[in-house]
Amino acid sequence: MGKEMQSNMNSMYMEQVPEAIEAGKINKNLDDDGRPIRTGTLVTASAHIITAVIGSGVLSLAWAIAQLGWVAGPAVLMAFSFITYFTSTLLADCYRAPDPITGRRNYTYMDVVRAHLGGVKVQLCGIAQYGNLIGVTIGYTITASISMVAVKRSNCFHKHGHDVKCSISNYPFMIIFATIQIVLSQIPNFHKLSWLSILAAVMSFAYSSIGLGLSMAKIAGGGHARTSLTGVQVGVDVSASEKVWKTFQAIGDIAFAYAYSTVLVEIQDTLRSHPPESKVMKKASLMGVSTTTMFYMLCGCLGYAAFGNNAPGNFLTGFGFYEPFWLIDLANICIAVHLVGAYQVFCQPIFGFVEARCQARWPESKFITSEHSISLPFCVSYNFNFNFFRLVWRTAYVIVTAVFAMIFPFFNDFLGLIGAASFYPLTVYFPIEMHIAQTKIPKFSFTWIWLKILSWSCLVVSLVAAAGSIQGLAQDLRTYKPFKTMN
C-alpha cells in the first residue's frame, strides 16, 4: 500500500512536469527526481535546525538544572547533545537509499523508514512523528500566548508594583497567534520557509542572549542564590516523592530541548544535490547542535546560579526578572516571533503528508489539485500560488491546535511529555535500526552491541521522563479550572 502510494505520487508529480526529460537530458530547472531544483544550503539548513532546536525549551533549563543539580544537570545536557548529534548523522545517511550518496531520495521520515526497514515500523514511525509534530504545535501555541501575556504583565508590574496580581487571560493571545498561523500556513512547503527560519533563528539568539545577560546581572548584583550539587533538597525544597517526579520531568524537558529529528529528513530534502546532501546535513547538524548546546549550558547553568533551587519554570515569562521591564518585553516579543516561525517548521511536514495522501487518493479533484496564481499587491515580480483545499485544511488544523491549547494550557509538564514521547523512537531507535540495516552490521558484533545498549538506555530514560511528565500533568489537571483567567 505504501509503495503503491509513493509510486502514484511520483508519477503524478512527473505528469505535472512533462518537460522533465527532453531527448534523454534532465531539464536544468529540475532535480534528478524530476522535482523543481532544490536550492537549500548549509546556511538555510542550519537556520532550520536552530529554529527547531532553540525553542521554548531553553527557558525551562534553569528549572531543569535546579532539579538535577550541578553534577547531573550539565552531564544530562551534554549526554543529550552527543546522542542527538550522533543519531542525526546516522539519519542523514539514510535520506538516500540504498547508497547515501547516489541512492534514491526519500522525502519524509516515513519514506526513509519504508526504504530501510519496511513493514509495520513504517506505520509506527508515522504515529510517533506526526503525533509528536501535532503535540509540538499545540505546545508552541501555549508558549507563544504565555510570552504575549508576559509583555502585558511586565508593563502592569512596572506601573503598579510587583505585588499586584496582574491577571490576564491567555485565550485572546492564542487566538491572535492562531490567526497569524492561518496566514503563514498558506506558504506551500519547506522550500519557501528559509526567510522565516532565518528570522526565527535570529529571534532565538536574541531572547537567549537577553536571558543570559539578565542572569549574569543578577549574579553580579549579589544576593547569592542557594544551589547544591544534587539540586533541590529533600525535606527543604521538596518531599522525597516530589524530588523523584521532578527529576524525571527535568529529563523530559531537556530531551524536548534537543528535539528536531522529526523534521530532519524534510530539512535535508531542501538541500541542493552538490555537495552531497548527507555531508551538508551532517555539517548543519554539528553547527546547530553545538551552537544550541553552548546556549543551553549558559542559560541553564547561569540561570540556576542566578535563581538557585527556586528557579522558575520559565525565567522570562515566570518573572524571575521584573526590571528593566522594556528588556523583558523585548525578550518575550522575540520568543513570540521565534515561535511563529518554529510552528511553521514543525507543521509543514503534517501539511505535506495529508496533502500528498489526498492528491494520491483523489487525483481528479480540482478542489484538491488545482493551483491558482494570485499577484500580490506591491509585489510585481511575485505570484502567490493559491489552493482551496490547502486553505480549508490548513486553517482547520491551526484552529484545532489552538482549541487544544486553550483546554490544556500547561508548560513544563507538556514539554516533558512531548520530549519523552518523541526522543526515543525518532531520535534514537529508528536512526540506529536503519543504520544497522543500511550498513549490514553483523548481529552480536561489537558495533551492534554498543548501538543496542545505547538504544535500550535511551528507552529507559524516555520511560522515566514520560512517567514524570504524566504525573505532573495529572497534578495540574486536579488543580486546574478551565476557562479561568491565568496568572
Side-chain angles (χ1 to χ4, degrees):
M1 183 69 176
K3 291 181 180 178
E4 180 183 352
M5 187 192 79
Q6 184 159 347
S7 175
N8 291 338
M9 287 172 58
N10 289 339
S11 62
M12 178 183 66
Y13 199 96
M14 291 302 294
E15 287 173 7
Q16 295 175 359
V17 285
E19 69 276 18
I21 302 176
E22 296 178 353
K25 296 182 180 180
I26 301 297
N27 189 300
K28 66 179 181 179
N29 294 321
L30 299 174
D31 249 327
D32 55 0
D33 57 350
R35 296 195 172 192
I37 194 163
R38 294 160 175 83
T39 57
T41 63
L42 176 63
V43 174
T44 60
S46 299
H48 284 315
I49 292 171
I50 291 171
T51 299
V53 180
I54 298 185
S56 54
V58 69
L59 304 175
S60 68
L61 290 179
W63 177 87
I65 298 291
Q67 311 313 306
L68 300 171
W70 285 119
V71 177
V76 171
L77 268 173
M78 291 303 299
F80 276 108
S81 171
F82 171 77
I83 292 169
T84 301
Y85 170 69
F86 173 70
T87 57
S88 70
T89 62
L90 302 184
L91 187 55
D93 279 335
C94 296
Y95 168 67
R96 287 181 180 265
D99 185 83
I101 305 296
T102 60
R104 181 179 59 82
R105 295 175 186 270
N106 295 285
Y107 308 117
T108 68
Y109 204 136
M110 284 183 69
D111 290 340
V112 172
V113 174
R114 182 181 292 110
H116 292 279
L117 300 176
V120 71
K121 292 180 180 179
V122 179
Q123 284 72 37
L124 293 176
C125 170
I127 293 171
Q129 181 187 14
Y130 294 109
N132 171 261
L133 292 172
I134 292 169
V136 169
T137 54
I138 294 172
Y140 281 177
T141 304
I142 296 169
T143 311
S145 70
I146 292 173
S147 295
M148 295 177 190
V149 165
V151 173
K152 292 200 70 173
R153 293 188 69 203
S154 173
N155 293 317
C156 175
F157 288 135
H158 177 72
K159 184 176 180 180
H160 301 292
H162 301 169
D163 296 327
V164 177
K165 191 173 183 181
C166 291
S167 297
I168 300 168
S169 175
N170 291 47
Y171 303 136
F173 296 97
M174 290 185 183
I175 294 172
I176 292 171
F177 183 80
T179 303
I180 295 171
Q181 294 303 337
I182 288 173
V183 175
L184 290 177
S185 291
Q186 301 314 308
I187 296 173
N189 51 49
F190 244 122
H191 303 274
K192 306 295 184 181
L193 273 181
S194 297
W195 65 272
L196 187 58
S197 284
I198 292 172
L199 174 63
V202 171
M203 293 297 103
S204 65
F205 285 128
Y207 69 72
S208 297
S209 299
I210 291 172
L212 283 173
L214 290 171
S215 295
M216 289 188 286
K218 186 175 178 66
I219 295 169
H224 301 292
R226 181 170 51 85
T227 64
S228 70
L229 294 177
T230 57
V232 292
Q233 295 177 307
V234 175
V236 178
D237 303 299
V238 293
S239 66
S241 61
E242 287 176 333
K243 172 71 174 179
V244 173
W245 290 121
K246 287 182 182 295
T247 297
F248 291 169
Q249 292 169 28
I251 293 172
D253 282 6
I254 294 174
F256 172 82
Y258 279 107
Y260 81 100
S261 296
T262 47
V263 293
L264 186 147
V265 175
E266 285 78 3
I267 292 173
Q268 189 166 348
D269 190 46
T270 67
L271 295 174
R272 59 183 61 161
S273 301
H274 302 287
E277 306 93 348
S278 60
K279 293 183 178 180
V280 176
M281 197 64 197
K282 289 176 183 179
K283 291 180 181 178
S285 294
L286 177 60
M287 184 180 297
V289 173
S290 59
T291 301
T292 54
T293 299
M294 178 186 69
F295 269 88
Y296 284 0
M297 291 295 287
L298 290 172
C299 287
C301 294
L302 289 178
Y304 181 41
F307 298 106
N309 293 341
N310 294 320
N314 181 323
F315 63 63
L316 287 176
T317 62
F319 288 93
F321 305 102
Y322 289 92
E323 300 293 343
F325 80 99
W326 60 268
L327 192 58
I328 306 300
D329 289 352
L330 177 61
N332 281 296
I333 290 170
C334 289
I335 294 171
V337 173
H338 169 260
L339 292 176
V340 166
Y343 184 102
Q344 285 300 311
V345 169
F346 280 93
C347 71
Q348 282 293 336
I350 303 172
F351 295 157
F353 173 76
V354 172
E355 288 156 20
R357 292 292 296 265
C358 290
Q359 288 174 8
R361 179 67 178 83
W362 297 288
E364 304 301 324
S365 172
K366 299 296 183 183
F367 175 74
I368 294 175
T369 60
S370 293
E371 294 282 343
H372 307 276
S373 181
I374 300 175
S375 297
L376 297 179
F378 312 110
C379 298
V380 179
S381 62
Y382 184 78
N383 290 328
F384 179 77
N385 289 330
F386 175 80
N387 175 277
F388 284 107
F389 174 69
R390 189 160 61 231
L391 174 64
V392 173
W393 140 243
R394 295 188 179 192
T395 299
Y397 176 84
V398 173
I399 292 173
V400 169
T401 56
V403 169
F404 271 95
M406 291 178 181
I407 297 173
F408 301 108
F410 311 125
F411 182 66
N412 271 15
D413 299 321
F414 199 85
L415 295 186
L417 185 57
I418 292 172
S422 65
F423 177 75
Y424 175 69
L426 300 174
T427 302
V428 180
Y429 176 76
F430 284 120
I432 286 178
E433 291 299 313
M434 289 189 292
H435 176 70
I436 291 174
Q438 184 184 49
T439 57
K440 298 179 173 60
I441 297 175
K443 211 170 191 179
F444 302 114
S445 65
F446 175 78
T447 302
W448 186 90
I449 290 173
W450 82 259
L451 285 173
K452 288 292 185 178
I453 290 174
L454 175 62
S455 179
W456 283 102
S457 300
C458 290
L459 173 60
V460 173
V461 170
S462 293
L463 290 175
V464 298
S469 298
I470 291 171
Q471 189 274 342
L473 280 172
Q475 186 174 3
D476 286 338
L477 286 170
R478 285 195 297 269
T479 58
Y480 174 62
K481 296 180 180 180
F483 306 110
K484 297 290 184 181
T485 298
M486 293 187 66
N487 292 336

